PDB file of all heavy atoms in Angstrom:
ATOM      1  N   ILE A 312     -13.412  -9.804   2.350  1.00  0.00           N
ATOM      2  CA  ILE A 312     -12.221 -10.518   1.820  1.00  0.00           C
ATOM      3  C   ILE A 312     -12.751 -11.850   1.111  1.00  0.00           C
ATOM      4  O   ILE A 312     -13.887 -12.227   1.237  1.00  0.00           O
ATOM      5  CB  ILE A 312     -11.272 -10.898   2.951  1.00  0.00           C
ATOM      6  CG1 ILE A 312     -11.997 -11.789   4.086  1.00  0.00           C
ATOM      7  CG2 ILE A 312     -10.657  -9.686   3.534  1.00  0.00           C
ATOM      8  CD1 ILE A 312     -10.951 -12.297   5.094  1.00  0.00           C
ATOM      9  N   GLY A 313     -11.805 -12.536   0.530  1.00  0.00           N
ATOM     10  CA  GLY A 313     -12.101 -13.815  -0.219  1.00  0.00           C
ATOM     11  C   GLY A 313     -12.579 -13.682  -1.631  1.00  0.00           C
ATOM     12  O   GLY A 313     -12.560 -12.634  -2.052  1.00  0.00           O
ATOM     13  N   ALA A 314     -12.976 -14.760  -2.191  1.00  0.00           N
ATOM     14  CA  ALA A 314     -13.429 -14.784  -3.626  1.00  0.00           C
ATOM     15  C   ALA A 314     -14.605 -15.929  -3.718  1.00  0.00           C
ATOM     16  O   ALA A 314     -14.755 -16.614  -2.861  1.00  0.00           O
ATOM     17  CB  ALA A 314     -12.250 -15.184  -4.502  1.00  0.00           C
ATOM     18  N   HIS A 315     -15.235 -15.760  -4.894  1.00  0.00           N
ATOM     19  CA  HIS A 315     -16.270 -16.766  -5.228  1.00  0.00           C
ATOM     20  C   HIS A 315     -15.643 -18.119  -5.182  1.00  0.00           C
ATOM     21  O   HIS A 315     -14.493 -18.359  -5.648  1.00  0.00           O
ATOM     22  CB  HIS A 315     -16.841 -16.521  -6.560  1.00  0.00           C
ATOM     23  CG  HIS A 315     -18.159 -17.194  -6.664  1.00  0.00           C
ATOM     24  ND1 HIS A 315     -18.267 -18.501  -7.260  1.00  0.00           N
ATOM     25  CD2 HIS A 315     -19.461 -16.956  -6.356  1.00  0.00           C
ATOM     26  CE1 HIS A 315     -19.454 -18.923  -7.258  1.00  0.00           C
ATOM     27  NE2 HIS A 315     -20.282 -17.880  -6.696  1.00  0.00           N
ATOM     28  N   PRO A 316     -16.353 -19.181  -4.591  1.00  0.00           N
ATOM     29  CA  PRO A 316     -15.657 -20.465  -4.530  1.00  0.00           C
ATOM     30  C   PRO A 316     -15.391 -21.123  -5.860  1.00  0.00           C
ATOM     31  O   PRO A 316     -14.536 -22.059  -5.922  1.00  0.00           O
ATOM     32  CB  PRO A 316     -16.800 -21.296  -3.752  1.00  0.00           C
ATOM     33  CG  PRO A 316     -18.016 -20.579  -3.847  1.00  0.00           C
ATOM     34  CD  PRO A 316     -17.605 -19.189  -3.960  1.00  0.00           C
ATOM     35  N   SER A 317     -16.021 -20.577  -6.841  1.00  0.00           N
ATOM     36  CA  SER A 317     -15.624 -21.117  -8.314  1.00  0.00           C
ATOM     37  C   SER A 317     -14.288 -20.531  -8.746  1.00  0.00           C
ATOM     38  O   SER A 317     -13.721 -21.147  -9.773  1.00  0.00           O
ATOM     39  CB  SER A 317     -16.793 -20.599  -9.300  1.00  0.00           C
ATOM     40  OG  SER A 317     -16.661 -19.233  -9.342  1.00  0.00           O
ATOM     41  N   ALA A 318     -13.769 -19.641  -8.119  1.00  0.00           N
ATOM     42  CA  ALA A 318     -12.593 -18.871  -8.511  1.00  0.00           C
ATOM     43  C   ALA A 318     -12.712 -18.291  -9.989  1.00  0.00           C
ATOM     44  O   ALA A 318     -11.768 -17.947 -10.655  1.00  0.00           O
ATOM     45  CB  ALA A 318     -11.326 -19.797  -8.465  1.00  0.00           C
ATOM     46  N   HIS A 319     -13.926 -17.944 -10.345  1.00  0.00           N
ATOM     47  CA  HIS A 319     -14.146 -17.173 -11.497  1.00  0.00           C
ATOM     48  C   HIS A 319     -14.108 -15.668 -11.330  1.00  0.00           C
ATOM     49  O   HIS A 319     -13.893 -14.886 -12.323  1.00  0.00           O
ATOM     50  CB  HIS A 319     -15.554 -17.561 -12.221  1.00  0.00           C
ATOM     51  CG  HIS A 319     -15.544 -18.856 -12.829  1.00  0.00           C
ATOM     52  ND1 HIS A 319     -14.582 -19.265 -13.875  1.00  0.00           N
ATOM     53  CD2 HIS A 319     -16.359 -19.977 -12.605  1.00  0.00           C
ATOM     54  CE1 HIS A 319     -14.820 -20.497 -14.190  1.00  0.00           C
ATOM     55  NE2 HIS A 319     -15.906 -20.982 -13.493  1.00  0.00           N
ATOM     56  N   ILE A 320     -14.411 -15.161 -10.102  1.00  0.00           N
ATOM     57  CA  ILE A 320     -14.393 -13.779  -9.751  1.00  0.00           C
ATOM     58  C   ILE A 320     -13.704 -13.769  -8.303  1.00  0.00           C
ATOM     59  O   ILE A 320     -13.858 -14.569  -7.574  1.00  0.00           O
ATOM     60  CB  ILE A 320     -15.686 -13.010  -9.863  1.00  0.00           C
ATOM     61  CG1 ILE A 320     -16.797 -13.678  -8.897  1.00  0.00           C
ATOM     62  CG2 ILE A 320     -16.197 -12.936 -11.276  1.00  0.00           C
ATOM     63  CD1 ILE A 320     -18.031 -12.940  -8.789  1.00  0.00           C
ATOM     64  N   GLY A 321     -13.132 -12.503  -8.102  1.00  0.00           N
ATOM     65  CA  GLY A 321     -12.606 -12.246  -6.876  1.00  0.00           C
ATOM     66  C   GLY A 321     -12.038 -10.942  -6.813  1.00  0.00           C
ATOM     67  O   GLY A 321     -12.315 -10.049  -7.647  1.00  0.00           O
ATOM     68  N   GLU A 322     -11.199 -10.568  -5.833  1.00  0.00           N
ATOM     69  CA  GLU A 322     -10.659  -9.207  -5.748  1.00  0.00           C
ATOM     70  C   GLU A 322      -9.433  -9.055  -6.641  1.00  0.00           C
ATOM     71  O   GLU A 322      -8.502  -9.904  -6.717  1.00  0.00           O
ATOM     72  CB  GLU A 322     -10.140  -8.943  -4.204  1.00  0.00           C
ATOM     73  CG  GLU A 322      -9.868  -7.500  -3.940  1.00  0.00           C
ATOM     74  CD  GLU A 322      -9.660  -7.189  -2.489  1.00  0.00           C
ATOM     75  OE1 GLU A 322      -9.737  -8.206  -1.712  1.00  0.00           O
ATOM     76  OE2 GLU A 322      -9.518  -6.028  -2.166  1.00  0.00           O
ATOM     77  N   LEU A 323      -9.556  -8.072  -7.549  1.00  0.00           N
ATOM     78  CA  LEU A 323      -8.723  -7.818  -8.610  1.00  0.00           C
ATOM     79  C   LEU A 323      -8.170  -6.434  -8.658  1.00  0.00           C
ATOM     80  O   LEU A 323      -8.503  -5.766  -9.528  1.00  0.00           O
ATOM     81  CB  LEU A 323      -9.336  -8.256  -9.884  1.00  0.00           C
ATOM     82  CG  LEU A 323      -8.494  -8.577 -11.201  1.00  0.00           C
ATOM     83  CD1 LEU A 323      -7.567  -9.761 -10.959  1.00  0.00           C
ATOM     84  CD2 LEU A 323      -9.410  -8.777 -12.461  1.00  0.00           C
ATOM     85  N   PRO A 324      -7.242  -6.242  -7.749  1.00  0.00           N
ATOM     86  CA  PRO A 324      -6.767  -4.851  -7.685  1.00  0.00           C
ATOM     87  C   PRO A 324      -5.879  -4.460  -8.823  1.00  0.00           C
ATOM     88  O   PRO A 324      -5.081  -5.303  -9.275  1.00  0.00           O
ATOM     89  CB  PRO A 324      -5.955  -4.762  -6.363  1.00  0.00           C
ATOM     90  CG  PRO A 324      -5.573  -6.177  -6.043  1.00  0.00           C
ATOM     91  CD  PRO A 324      -6.717  -7.017  -6.662  1.00  0.00           C
ATOM     92  N   LEU A 325      -5.964  -3.279  -9.354  1.00  0.00           N
ATOM     93  CA  LEU A 325      -5.105  -2.763 -10.430  1.00  0.00           C
ATOM     94  C   LEU A 325      -3.938  -2.157  -9.827  1.00  0.00           C
ATOM     95  O   LEU A 325      -3.943  -1.292  -8.908  1.00  0.00           O
ATOM     96  CB  LEU A 325      -5.782  -1.780 -11.326  1.00  0.00           C
ATOM     97  CG  LEU A 325      -7.129  -2.289 -11.970  1.00  0.00           C
ATOM     98  CD1 LEU A 325      -7.718  -1.271 -12.913  1.00  0.00           C
ATOM     99  CD2 LEU A 325      -6.992  -3.613 -12.740  1.00  0.00           C
ATOM    100  N   GLY A 326      -2.781  -2.569 -10.112  1.00  0.00           N
ATOM    101  CA  GLY A 326      -1.439  -2.041  -9.507  1.00  0.00           C
ATOM    102  C   GLY A 326      -1.211  -2.696  -8.171  1.00  0.00           C
ATOM    103  O   GLY A 326      -1.686  -3.892  -7.885  1.00  0.00           O
ATOM    104  N   ILE A 327      -0.577  -1.946  -7.327  1.00  0.00           N
ATOM    105  CA  ILE A 327      -0.269  -2.357  -5.917  1.00  0.00           C
ATOM    106  C   ILE A 327      -1.536  -2.564  -5.144  1.00  0.00           C
ATOM    107  O   ILE A 327      -2.221  -1.536  -4.988  1.00  0.00           O
ATOM    108  CB  ILE A 327       0.778  -1.559  -5.271  1.00  0.00           C
ATOM    109  CG1 ILE A 327       2.003  -1.622  -6.056  1.00  0.00           C
ATOM    110  CG2 ILE A 327       1.032  -2.066  -3.922  1.00  0.00           C
ATOM    111  CD1 ILE A 327       3.147  -0.500  -5.488  1.00  0.00           C
ATOM    112  N   PRO A 328      -1.853  -3.669  -4.563  1.00  0.00           N
ATOM    113  CA  PRO A 328      -3.066  -3.791  -3.612  1.00  0.00           C
ATOM    114  C   PRO A 328      -3.053  -2.845  -2.588  1.00  0.00           C
ATOM    115  O   PRO A 328      -1.954  -2.687  -1.870  1.00  0.00           O
ATOM    116  CB  PRO A 328      -3.124  -5.252  -3.207  1.00  0.00           C
ATOM    117  CG  PRO A 328      -2.163  -5.906  -4.180  1.00  0.00           C
ATOM    118  CD  PRO A 328      -1.087  -4.926  -4.587  1.00  0.00           C
ATOM    119  N   LEU A 329      -4.193  -2.277  -2.223  1.00  0.00           N
ATOM    120  CA  LEU A 329      -4.356  -1.377  -1.018  1.00  0.00           C
ATOM    121  C   LEU A 329      -4.961  -2.105   0.104  1.00  0.00           C
ATOM    122  O   LEU A 329      -5.064  -1.578   1.227  1.00  0.00           O
ATOM    123  CB  LEU A 329      -5.137  -0.121  -1.513  1.00  0.00           C
ATOM    124  CG  LEU A 329      -4.556   0.732  -2.526  1.00  0.00           C
ATOM    125  CD1 LEU A 329      -5.541   1.836  -2.880  1.00  0.00           C
ATOM    126  CD2 LEU A 329      -3.246   1.263  -2.104  1.00  0.00           C
ATOM    127  N   ASN A 330      -5.486  -3.241  -0.161  1.00  0.00           N
ATOM    128  CA  ASN A 330      -6.152  -4.119   0.956  1.00  0.00           C
ATOM    129  C   ASN A 330      -5.217  -5.224   1.461  1.00  0.00           C
ATOM    130  O   ASN A 330      -4.483  -5.804   0.635  1.00  0.00           O
ATOM    131  CB  ASN A 330      -7.409  -4.637   0.432  1.00  0.00           C
ATOM    132  CG  ASN A 330      -8.472  -3.486   0.224  1.00  0.00           C
ATOM    133  OD1 ASN A 330      -8.411  -2.525   0.887  1.00  0.00           O
ATOM    134  ND2 ASN A 330      -9.481  -3.777  -0.697  1.00  0.00           N
ATOM    135  N   LEU A 331      -5.447  -5.589   2.610  1.00  0.00           N
ATOM    136  CA  LEU A 331      -4.481  -6.662   3.195  1.00  0.00           C
ATOM    137  C   LEU A 331      -4.511  -8.038   2.356  1.00  0.00           C
ATOM    138  O   LEU A 331      -3.361  -8.481   2.035  1.00  0.00           O
ATOM    139  CB  LEU A 331      -4.993  -6.997   4.647  1.00  0.00           C
ATOM    140  CG  LEU A 331      -4.271  -8.107   5.341  1.00  0.00           C
ATOM    141  CD1 LEU A 331      -2.690  -7.807   5.507  1.00  0.00           C
ATOM    142  CD2 LEU A 331      -4.927  -8.383   6.756  1.00  0.00           C
ATOM    143  N   VAL A 332      -5.646  -8.699   2.138  1.00  0.00           N
ATOM    144  CA  VAL A 332      -5.657 -10.009   1.712  1.00  0.00           C
ATOM    145  C   VAL A 332      -5.072 -10.126   0.309  1.00  0.00           C
ATOM    146  O   VAL A 332      -4.222 -11.067   0.096  1.00  0.00           O
ATOM    147  CB  VAL A 332      -6.964 -10.663   1.829  1.00  0.00           C
ATOM    148  CG1 VAL A 332      -7.094 -12.045   1.167  1.00  0.00           C
ATOM    149  CG2 VAL A 332      -7.345 -10.809   3.320  1.00  0.00           C
ATOM    150  N   PRO A 333      -5.436  -9.309  -0.704  1.00  0.00           N
ATOM    151  CA  PRO A 333      -4.772  -9.482  -1.993  1.00  0.00           C
ATOM    152  C   PRO A 333      -3.177  -9.273  -1.927  1.00  0.00           C
ATOM    153  O   PRO A 333      -2.455  -9.856  -2.670  1.00  0.00           O
ATOM    154  CB  PRO A 333      -5.514  -8.467  -2.844  1.00  0.00           C
ATOM    155  CG  PRO A 333      -6.206  -7.503  -1.984  1.00  0.00           C
ATOM    156  CD  PRO A 333      -6.436  -8.268  -0.761  1.00  0.00           C
ATOM    157  N   TYR A 334      -2.783  -8.280  -1.073  1.00  0.00           N
ATOM    158  CA  TYR A 334      -1.414  -8.056  -0.921  1.00  0.00           C
ATOM    159  C   TYR A 334      -0.741  -9.377  -0.330  1.00  0.00           C
ATOM    160  O   TYR A 334       0.413  -9.777  -0.713  1.00  0.00           O
ATOM    161  CB  TYR A 334      -1.110  -6.881  -0.056  1.00  0.00           C
ATOM    162  CG  TYR A 334       0.110  -6.185  -0.308  1.00  0.00           C
ATOM    163  CD1 TYR A 334       0.202  -4.918  -0.681  1.00  0.00           C
ATOM    164  CD2 TYR A 334       1.373  -6.818  -0.135  1.00  0.00           C
ATOM    165  CE1 TYR A 334       1.419  -4.278  -0.840  1.00  0.00           C
ATOM    166  CE2 TYR A 334       2.593  -6.212  -0.379  1.00  0.00           C
ATOM    167  CZ  TYR A 334       2.588  -4.883  -0.732  1.00  0.00           C
ATOM    168  OH  TYR A 334       3.745  -4.294  -1.093  1.00  0.00           O
ATOM    169  N   LEU A 335      -1.413 -10.021   0.634  1.00  0.00           N
ATOM    170  CA  LEU A 335      -0.882 -11.205   1.182  1.00  0.00           C
ATOM    171  C   LEU A 335      -0.799 -12.314   0.198  1.00  0.00           C
ATOM    172  O   LEU A 335       0.374 -12.990   0.022  1.00  0.00           O
ATOM    173  CB  LEU A 335      -1.859 -11.588   2.356  1.00  0.00           C
ATOM    174  CG  LEU A 335      -1.387 -12.816   3.261  1.00  0.00           C
ATOM    175  CD1 LEU A 335      -2.152 -12.686   4.501  1.00  0.00           C
ATOM    176  CD2 LEU A 335      -1.784 -14.144   2.530  1.00  0.00           C
ATOM    177  N   THR A 336      -1.794 -12.561  -0.596  1.00  0.00           N
ATOM    178  CA  THR A 336      -1.890 -13.687  -1.576  1.00  0.00           C
ATOM    179  C   THR A 336      -0.866 -13.330  -2.718  1.00  0.00           C
ATOM    180  O   THR A 336      -0.163 -14.296  -3.169  1.00  0.00           O
ATOM    181  CB  THR A 336      -3.168 -13.904  -2.188  1.00  0.00           C
ATOM    182  OG1 THR A 336      -3.739 -12.644  -2.755  1.00  0.00           O
ATOM    183  CG2 THR A 336      -4.233 -14.356  -1.057  1.00  0.00           C
ATOM    184  N   GLN A 337      -0.714 -12.126  -3.079  1.00  0.00           N
ATOM    185  CA  GLN A 337       0.312 -11.806  -4.204  1.00  0.00           C
ATOM    186  C   GLN A 337       1.772 -12.009  -3.615  1.00  0.00           C
ATOM    187  O   GLN A 337       2.585 -12.418  -4.401  1.00  0.00           O
ATOM    188  CB  GLN A 337       0.107 -10.312  -4.645  1.00  0.00           C
ATOM    189  CG  GLN A 337      -1.153 -10.104  -5.522  1.00  0.00           C
ATOM    190  CD  GLN A 337      -1.222  -8.803  -6.117  1.00  0.00           C
ATOM    191  OE1 GLN A 337      -0.157  -8.051  -6.158  1.00  0.00           O
ATOM    192  NE2 GLN A 337      -2.241  -8.480  -6.740  1.00  0.00           N
ATOM    193  N   THR A 338       1.924 -11.740  -2.332  1.00  0.00           N
ATOM    194  CA  THR A 338       3.227 -11.953  -1.745  1.00  0.00           C
ATOM    195  C   THR A 338       3.595 -13.456  -1.772  1.00  0.00           C
ATOM    196  O   THR A 338       4.664 -13.935  -2.166  1.00  0.00           O
ATOM    197  CB  THR A 338       3.260 -11.427  -0.347  1.00  0.00           C
ATOM    198  OG1 THR A 338       3.185 -10.008  -0.295  1.00  0.00           O
ATOM    199  CG2 THR A 338       4.650 -11.733   0.368  1.00  0.00           C
ATOM    200  N   VAL A 339       2.640 -14.267  -1.284  1.00  0.00           N
ATOM    201  CA  VAL A 339       2.760 -15.730  -1.250  1.00  0.00           C
ATOM    202  C   VAL A 339       3.093 -16.322  -2.599  1.00  0.00           C
ATOM    203  O   VAL A 339       3.914 -17.244  -2.773  1.00  0.00           O
ATOM    204  CB  VAL A 339       1.668 -16.439  -0.562  1.00  0.00           C
ATOM    205  CG1 VAL A 339       1.811 -17.859  -0.527  1.00  0.00           C
ATOM    206  CG2 VAL A 339       1.481 -15.912   0.918  1.00  0.00           C
ATOM    207  N   ILE A 340       2.319 -15.892  -3.616  1.00  0.00           N
ATOM    208  CA  ILE A 340       2.502 -16.444  -4.883  1.00  0.00           C
ATOM    209  C   ILE A 340       3.703 -15.872  -5.779  1.00  0.00           C
ATOM    210  O   ILE A 340       4.098 -16.452  -6.765  1.00  0.00           O
ATOM    211  CB  ILE A 340       1.255 -16.145  -5.823  1.00  0.00           C
ATOM    212  CG1 ILE A 340       1.021 -17.343  -6.827  1.00  0.00           C
ATOM    213  CG2 ILE A 340       1.231 -14.866  -6.600  1.00  0.00           C
ATOM    214  CD1 ILE A 340      -0.365 -17.511  -7.361  1.00  0.00           C
ATOM    215  N   GLY A 341       4.396 -14.863  -5.125  1.00  0.00           N
ATOM    216  CA  GLY A 341       5.557 -14.372  -5.629  1.00  0.00           C
ATOM    217  C   GLY A 341       5.583 -13.106  -6.458  1.00  0.00           C
ATOM    218  O   GLY A 341       6.556 -12.658  -7.066  1.00  0.00           O
ATOM    219  N   LYS A 342       4.440 -12.473  -6.527  1.00  0.00           N
ATOM    220  CA  LYS A 342       4.273 -11.173  -7.097  1.00  0.00           C
ATOM    221  C   LYS A 342       4.922 -10.041  -6.359  1.00  0.00           C
ATOM    222  O   LYS A 342       5.341  -9.083  -6.992  1.00  0.00           O
ATOM    223  CB  LYS A 342       2.828 -10.833  -7.507  1.00  0.00           C
ATOM    224  CG  LYS A 342       2.132 -11.737  -8.399  1.00  0.00           C
ATOM    225  CD  LYS A 342       0.669 -11.349  -8.760  1.00  0.00           C
ATOM    226  CE  LYS A 342      -0.047 -12.198  -9.633  1.00  0.00           C
ATOM    227  NZ  LYS A 342      -1.511 -11.912  -9.791  1.00  0.00           N
ATOM    228  N   ARG A 343       4.927 -10.159  -5.023  1.00  0.00           N
ATOM    229  CA  ARG A 343       5.432  -9.124  -4.121  1.00  0.00           C
ATOM    230  C   ARG A 343       6.571  -9.763  -3.323  1.00  0.00           C
ATOM    231  O   ARG A 343       6.450 -10.878  -3.003  1.00  0.00           O
ATOM    232  CB  ARG A 343       4.370  -8.522  -3.344  1.00  0.00           C
ATOM    233  CG  ARG A 343       3.043  -8.060  -4.030  1.00  0.00           C
ATOM    234  CD  ARG A 343       3.261  -6.773  -4.650  1.00  0.00           C
ATOM    235  NE  ARG A 343       2.211  -6.604  -5.698  1.00  0.00           N
ATOM    236  CZ  ARG A 343       2.263  -5.685  -6.639  1.00  0.00           C
ATOM    237  NH1 ARG A 343       3.219  -4.959  -6.811  1.00  0.00           N
ATOM    238  NH2 ARG A 343       1.161  -5.564  -7.529  1.00  0.00           N
ATOM    239  N   PRO A 344       7.520  -9.077  -3.040  1.00  0.00           N
ATOM    240  CA  PRO A 344       8.635  -9.507  -2.163  1.00  0.00           C
ATOM    241  C   PRO A 344       8.307  -9.808  -0.810  1.00  0.00           C
ATOM    242  O   PRO A 344       8.761 -10.779  -0.088  1.00  0.00           O
ATOM    243  CB  PRO A 344       9.726  -8.459  -2.356  1.00  0.00           C
ATOM    244  CG  PRO A 344       9.077  -7.212  -2.624  1.00  0.00           C
ATOM    245  CD  PRO A 344       7.917  -7.614  -3.355  1.00  0.00           C
ATOM    246  N   GLU A 345       7.352  -9.101  -0.316  1.00  0.00           N
ATOM    247  CA  GLU A 345       6.972  -9.241   1.166  1.00  0.00           C
ATOM    248  C   GLU A 345       5.540  -8.559   1.387  1.00  0.00           C
ATOM    249  O   GLU A 345       5.116  -7.786   0.696  1.00  0.00           O
ATOM    250  CB  GLU A 345       7.925  -8.589   2.136  1.00  0.00           C
ATOM    251  CG  GLU A 345       8.098  -7.067   1.904  1.00  0.00           C
ATOM    252  CD  GLU A 345       9.274  -6.447   2.754  1.00  0.00           C
ATOM    253  OE1 GLU A 345      10.128  -7.187   3.277  1.00  0.00           O
ATOM    254  OE2 GLU A 345       9.340  -5.249   2.767  1.00  0.00           O
ATOM    255  N   LEU A 346       4.946  -9.036   2.463  1.00  0.00           N
ATOM    256  CA  LEU A 346       3.681  -8.383   2.887  1.00  0.00           C
ATOM    257  C   LEU A 346       4.134  -7.207   3.789  1.00  0.00           C
ATOM    258  O   LEU A 346       4.735  -7.384   4.843  1.00  0.00           O
ATOM    259  CB  LEU A 346       2.728  -9.305   3.594  1.00  0.00           C
ATOM    260  CG  LEU A 346       1.578  -8.829   4.317  1.00  0.00           C
ATOM    261  CD1 LEU A 346       0.637  -8.209   3.223  1.00  0.00           C
ATOM    262  CD2 LEU A 346       0.842  -9.875   5.046  1.00  0.00           C
ATOM    263  N   ARG A 347       3.611  -6.112   3.513  1.00  0.00           N
ATOM    264  CA  ARG A 347       3.890  -4.937   4.376  1.00  0.00           C
ATOM    265  C   ARG A 347       2.772  -4.815   5.425  1.00  0.00           C
ATOM    266  O   ARG A 347       1.596  -4.710   5.132  1.00  0.00           O
ATOM    267  CB  ARG A 347       3.957  -3.592   3.585  1.00  0.00           C
ATOM    268  CG  ARG A 347       5.080  -3.632   2.624  1.00  0.00           C
ATOM    269  CD  ARG A 347       5.191  -2.228   1.925  1.00  0.00           C
ATOM    270  NE  ARG A 347       6.293  -2.066   1.106  1.00  0.00           N
ATOM    271  CZ  ARG A 347       6.694  -1.005   0.498  1.00  0.00           C
ATOM    272  NH1 ARG A 347       6.068   0.070   0.718  1.00  0.00           N
ATOM    273  NH2 ARG A 347       7.733  -0.881  -0.193  1.00  0.00           N
TER     274      ARG A 347
END
């Protein structure tokens, strides 16, 4: 989990994330209505 501290690279799922943390961050930023 996590990303490079520079924020130049990180987990970049295409479509709906299948892993917990990107789904979580996308929910918090407003891309997803809720974390499943």
Side-chain angles (χ1 to χ4, degrees):
I312 59 172
H315 195 271
S317 67
H319 285 305
I320 57 173
E322 192 165 6
L323 196 62
L325 303 182
I327 298 174
L329 298 171
N330 295 330
L331 171 62
V332 171
Y334 207 118
L335 186 157
T336 59
Q337 287 190 12
T338 298
V339 174
I340 211 163
K342 292 180 182 177
R343 310 285 166 195
E345 63 187 11
L346 171 64
R347 297 184 175 190

